């Protein structure tokens, strides 16, 4: 079966983020960039399916500028077979879903696996919009996946507020990965060497025949308020007095 996986270039979650000078985004200079952590989980899941099904192909797609080649190479080093980089400048989630729809139409995968959200803008909407555009079944936030009927259908478990929900649906479908789906593998040295020779196709988003402008404008970005310094109390009585009088939580 053919599995399409998405990988977004995002700042390393360990990086200290600063808001840029005009307050419309983050300061990008000097940041370490990685594959969106939920997308690494999606790649791992695709590789596990390939290993269990055999005769499968894992194609990894990123939408962004040429710097995203680095994240695609990471996915190839993990074990994906080939990569597609769609060049688009600062696309919003709606535009990304339109671009992915075109790539899916061209590639005809049996399954699309995506992260449940990108950790930079936390939009949590690209997977849902893509499934809707394609008219395919979707299962979001999945923590377990099992294929049946020789890859013709799937059963997913997803975490919901009250517990767990199990869904079954025919393929092709779009699924989005939650944190507990698996533990992504590290790229091995042989994997990194092999990745250099794997194909990476570059597609100009403008050639896909879709409107590329942003439908949403980011008006402002603010950092969370600075946390006040903590204080060491001498006794339980002092703690209770502080919780009642200062923090007013008791
Ligand atoms: C594991 C887990 C952890 C979570 N942790 C947090 C947390 O820490 N903080 C937090 O804020 N939330 C958290 N959530 C999300 C939150 O608990 C609810 O999922 C959230 O309130 C969404 O509600 P919903 O399921 O109705 O959403 P949706 O069904 O997506 O609905 C979203 C909105 O769409 C509209 N809508 C949906 N259906 C209809 C309808 N039939 N008619 C009219 N309008 C409709 C409503 O306006 C609704 O509020 C968590 C969820 C999960 C599963």
């Amino acid at each position: 079966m053919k599995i399409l996986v998405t990988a977004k270039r995002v700042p390393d979650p360990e990086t200290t983020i600063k808001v840029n000078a005009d307050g419309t985004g983050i300061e990008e200079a000097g940041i370490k960039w990685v594959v969106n952590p939920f997308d690494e989980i999606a790649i791992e899941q695709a590789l596990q399916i390939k290993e269990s099904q055999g005769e499968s192909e894992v194609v990894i797609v990123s939408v962004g500028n040429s710097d995203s080649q680095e994240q695609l190479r990471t996915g190839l080093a993990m074990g994906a077979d080939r990569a597609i980089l769609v060049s688009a400048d600062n696309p919003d989630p709606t535009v990304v879903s339109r671009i992915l729809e075109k790539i899916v139409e061209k590639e005809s995968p049996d399954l699309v696996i995506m992260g449940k959200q990108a950790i930079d803008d936390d939009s949590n909407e690209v997977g849902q919009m893509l499934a809707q555009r394609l008219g395919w079944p979707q299962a979001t936030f999945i923590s377990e996946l099992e294929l049946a009927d020789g890859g013709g259908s799937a059963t997913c478990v997803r975490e919901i507020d009250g517990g767990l929900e199990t869904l079954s649906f025919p393929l092709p479908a779009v699924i989005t990965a939650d944190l507990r789906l698996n533990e992504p593998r590290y790229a091995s040295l042989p994997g990194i060497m092999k990745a250099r020779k794997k194909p990476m196709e570059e597609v100009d988003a403008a050639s896909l025949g879709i409107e590329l402008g942003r439908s949403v404008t980011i008006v402002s970005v603010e950092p969370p308020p600075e946390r006040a310094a903590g204080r060491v109390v001498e006794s339980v009585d002092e703690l209770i007095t502080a919780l009642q009088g200062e923090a007013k939580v008791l």
Side-chain angles (χ1 to χ4, degrees):
M1 67 189 291
K2 188 194 269 195
I3 307 161
L4 196 80
V5 196
T6 51
K8 185 178 185 185
R9 176 180 170 88
V10 298
D12 187 327
E14 304 290 325
T15 303
T16 305
I17 299 291
K18 289 195 186 119
V19 173
N20 64 13
D22 62 5
T24 56
I26 62 165
E27 191 55 69
E28 297 196 354
I31 284 183
K32 185 181 170 211
W33 298 85
V34 296
V35 177
N36 179 43
F38 292 108
D39 297 349
E40 277 191 317
I41 294 170
I43 296 167
E44 174 62 36
Q45 196 59 39
L47 296 174
Q48 288 185 15
I49 294 170
K50 179 179 163 144
E51 284 155 5
S52 66
Q53 299 271 314
E55 293 291 310
S56 297
E57 184 184 30
V58 176
V59 183
I60 176 169
V61 186
S62 194
V63 179
N65 63 26
S66 59
D67 292 336
S68 300
Q69 284 184 7
E70 191 189 338
Q71 281 61 48
L72 288 171
R73 289 279 171 221
T74 302
L76 293 172
M78 287 171 73
D81 297 290
R82 61 187 171 90
I84 301 172
L85 171 62
V86 185
S87 57
D89 191 28
N90 194 21
D92 70 12
T94 307
V95 170
V96 174
S97 71
R98 286 184 199 280
I99 290 172
L100 292 176
E101 179 191 16
K102 293 287 177 194
I103 299 297
V104 169
E105 281 171 2
K106 184 167 161 267
E107 292 285 337
S108 302
D110 302 287
L111 182 61
V112 177
I113 314 183
M114 312 174 66
K116 70 168 182 175
Q117 67 196 81
I119 61 157
D120 52 355
D121 57 18
D122 278 331
S123 290
N124 178 229
E125 50 189 337
V126 175
Q128 292 91 323
M129 286 196 283
L130 176 63
Q132 175 65 26
R133 289 186 193 288
L134 294 167
W136 286 9
Q138 61 172 302
T140 52
F141 305 180
I142 68 153
S143 52
E144 285 175 40
L145 168 70
E146 224 171 274
L147 298 180
D149 307 326
S153 66
T155 301
C156 285
V157 175
R158 55 195 301 274
E159 294 182 7
I160 55 172
D161 266 3
L164 299 175
E165 185 177 70
T166 302
L167 306 175
S168 84
F169 46 88
L171 300 188
V174 176
I175 62 177
T176 74
D178 206 344
L179 210 54
R180 274 176 280 273
L181 183 60
N182 59 49
E183 187 79 36
R185 69 193 67 186
Y186 287 106
S188 64
L189 188 59
I192 293 168
M193 302 303 282
K194 274 189 207 156
R196 292 184 186 163
K197 292 189 181 147
K198 289 183 179 175
M200 186 180 304
E201 183 188 352
E202 297 199 19
V203 177
D204 182 2
S207 71
L208 297 173
I210 50 179
E211 190 143 334
L212 293 174
R214 289 183 70 91
S215 56
V216 172
T217 305
I218 299 170
V219 178
S220 71
V221 175
E222 288 168 38
E226 292 267 336
R227 285 179 66 180
R231 136 166 108 82
V232 177
V233 292
E234 300 292 331
S235 67
V236 172
D237 285 345
E238 190 189 341
L239 175 63
I240 291 172
T241 306
L243 290 174
Q244 286 173 331
E246 294 168 33
K248 300 194 191 308
V249 292
L250 288 182

